Amino acid sequence: MVARTVDLRSDTVTKPTETMRAAMATAEVDDDVLGADPTAFRLESEVAKITGKEAGLFVSSGTMGNLISVLVHCDIRGSEVILGDNSHIHIYENGGISTIGGVHPRPVKNNEDGTMDIDSIEVAIRDPRGELVFPTTKLICLENSHANSGGRCLSAEYTDRVGELAKKNGLKLHIDGARIFNASVALGVPVQRLVQAADSVSVCLSKGLGAPVGSVIVGSKSFITKARRLRKTLGGGMRQVGFICAAAFVALKENVEKLDGDHKKAKELAEGLTQIKGLKVDVAAVETNIIYVDIVEGSKITAEKLYKNLEEHGVLVMPKGLSRMRIVLHHQISSSDVHYTLSCFQQAFTGMHQEIGSYSISTSRDVSYA
């Protein structure tokens, strides 16, 4: 029997806090499709204020937020969007911009830090003189923080340069800000400054901030008017949605200040894992709450056996290939959970009794804790 569970698969696995549940139970609601839900409007207005944009729109997920944003900017089928080859929109959103919107992706190589070379972006912009045969470039997308790069952060200065390039070529700039608050806290730069150059931003509230559901997309009033119509087209009108927005508002107000602690625990865990023979972690690349861990070739334990061993001790991670895993910290992971996780990894590789912090794991897999 598993004595405890430490769920490190994603920061989307958090459970609503008691404060969130109370807010949901007492939320003032109305029909949001008719634009009448006061709690939804309060949340949308707050996110718009934080990001420095004119208006916001609550949507069910980051994927819906990115899809709507791309379709607003690329309103003619056959338009093209320049985006990172390792970006969430390109890899993990079911190809929706193409299958639903008829928008053509133009991937540019992501560097290890999540950026794309400015020169490479510029080269990817289609020459208007070739419009007879080429798609028409309409949009550039960035992701901050960049998940597949290990939660690396894009600086305001880099984003400004991409924004200047977009403006020079008559293009729009969208930021997938699924973890923009993580980037803001890690860089010590306000969210508004990080997205200043963007025409639209998708802000996820159910990742780093720990809300149970939802994202808010922000932009100009005219952008949001078009986005609201597309949300309805996609089946995203949710009527009395205020009870969900109430929990998200609590997350926005209470959990931003916890992100720095998440980042410190991620760094502590990464530093501990790199001390275990058979594992490889780029500790310097751990800037926020995401860690990528590689099993060194020739290790005595296979990835499959490692995952099974960890799961038997209640530690859940996300496999990312034959020898790589992802670990994501969140506000419901404690320092003692970090120590316990390190003990479980150590035991899996050595098969020996180890003590880290106040937790010990024995080869018999009996768990004892203080």
Side-chain angles (χ1 to χ4, degrees):
M1 179 179 178
V2 176
R4 67 189 295 175
T5 298
V6 181
D7 197 337
L8 300 167
R9 292 172 298 168
S10 178
D11 45 8
T12 61
V13 301
T14 55
K15 307 299 189 291
T17 64
E18 290 303 314
T19 308
M20 291 179 190
R21 293 176 188 272
M24 293 171 74
T26 59
E28 185 181 358
V29 299
D30 206 325
D31 192 328
D32 186 53
V33 175
L34 301 181
D37 192 298
T39 306
F41 181 74
R42 181 178 67 152
L43 176 66
E44 292 163 348
S45 299
E46 183 66 17
V47 177
K49 179 181 176 182
I50 291 170
T51 55
K53 304 305 179 186
E54 290 181 354
L57 181 70
F58 183 79
V59 295
S60 62
S61 67
T63 294
M64 178 177 278
N66 286 328
L67 176 60
I68 289 173
S69 298
V70 171
L71 297 191
V72 170
H73 294 307
C74 301
D75 55 353
I76 299 174
R77 295 182 69 84
S79 298
E80 189 167 71
V81 54
I82 296 171
L83 74 178
D85 68 339
N86 206 18
S87 66
H88 197 279
I89 294 176
H90 188 52
I91 297 175
Y92 296 120
E93 298 185 9
N94 208 232
I97 62 173
S98 298
T99 57
I100 296 174
V103 178
H104 189 262
R106 174 86 150 163
V108 170
K109 178 178 171 52
N110 276 120
N111 298 314
E112 289 186 359
D113 63 358
T115 63
M116 298 176 282
D117 290 337
I118 301 293
D119 291 345
S120 297
I121 297 175
E122 187 164 25
V123 168
I125 299 172
R126 302 289 188 177
D127 188 335
R129 293 172 297 183
E131 64 180 359
L132 180 64
V133 292
F134 295 144
T136 301
T137 309
K138 286 289 194 74
L139 177 67
I140 301 172
C141 290
L142 299 177
E143 182 181 334
N144 197 12
S145 65
H146 196 276
N148 269 3
S149 297
R152 303 289 292 272
C153 306
L154 308 188
S155 70
E157 292 74 22
Y158 171 79
T159 305
D160 287 347
R161 290 179 62 197
V162 177
E164 289 166 5
L165 178 64
K167 189 173 294 185
K168 184 178 76 172
N169 289 275
L171 310 178
K172 298 296 184 180
L173 173 62
H174 172 70
I175 294 179
D176 175 0
R179 296 183 176 90
I180 192 66
F181 284 96
N182 291 87
S184 171
V185 168
L187 294 171
V189 177
V191 170
Q192 180 174 343
R193 178 66 188 90
L194 290 179
V195 302
Q196 183 176 301
D199 296 285
S200 60
V201 187
S202 176
V203 179
C204 188
L205 302 170
S206 63
K207 288 193 169 75
L209 297 186
V213 182
S215 293
V216 173
I217 51 177
V218 294
S220 66
K221 290 180 180 178
S222 62
F223 169 86
I224 293 299
T225 296
K226 295 174 183 176
R228 186 179 297 277
R229 186 177 182 186
L230 276 168
R231 185 185 69 174
K232 177 64 174 171
T233 302
L234 294 171
M238 292 182 284
R239 304 300 178 184
Q240 288 74 27
V241 75
F243 80 97
I244 296 176
C245 293
F249 194 83
V250 170
L252 192 62
K253 290 300 183 180
E254 294 188 355
N255 290 348
V256 173
E257 63 186 29
K258 300 176 184 178
L259 295 177
D260 184 57
D262 296 342
H263 299 170
K264 288 176 179 176
K265 281 178 282 213
K267 184 71 79 170
E268 179 187 359
L269 181 55
E271 289 170 347
L273 290 171
T274 199
Q275 299 300 315
I276 298 174
K277 187 176 181 180
L279 293 178
K280 181 181 178 182
V281 181
D282 184 355
V283 177
V286 180
E287 296 179 356
T288 53
N289 65 326
I290 299 175
I291 309 167
Y292 278 99
V293 185
D294 292 299
I295 301 173
V296 177
E297 187 176 354
S299 294
K300 294 181 180 179
I301 189 170
T302 65
E304 184 178 356
K305 287 182 179 179
L306 176 58
Y307 300 143
K308 183 178 180 180
N309 188 289
L310 292 172
E311 187 174 0
E312 287 174 353
H313 288 97
V315 176
L316 307 178
V317 299
M318 182 74 75
K320 300 291 284 188
L322 296 177
S323 61
R324 167 168 273 212
M325 69 192 78
R326 189 188 75 171
I327 290 173
V328 184
L329 279 288
H330 50 79
H331 76 97
Q332 291 176 342
I333 296 296
S334 65
S335 292
S336 63
D337 289 331
V338 170
H339 299 153
Y340 175 75
T341 298
L342 285 171
S343 291
C344 292
F345 268 96
Q346 185 72 57
Q347 187 275 333
F349 274 87
T350 65
M352 297 172 62
H353 177 86
Q354 295 287 329
E355 291 191 6
I356 300 177
S358 59
Y359 294 90
S360 62
I361 303 294
S362 69
T363 54
S364 64
R365 293 181 181 169
D366 291 329
V367 181
S368 63
Y369 52 95

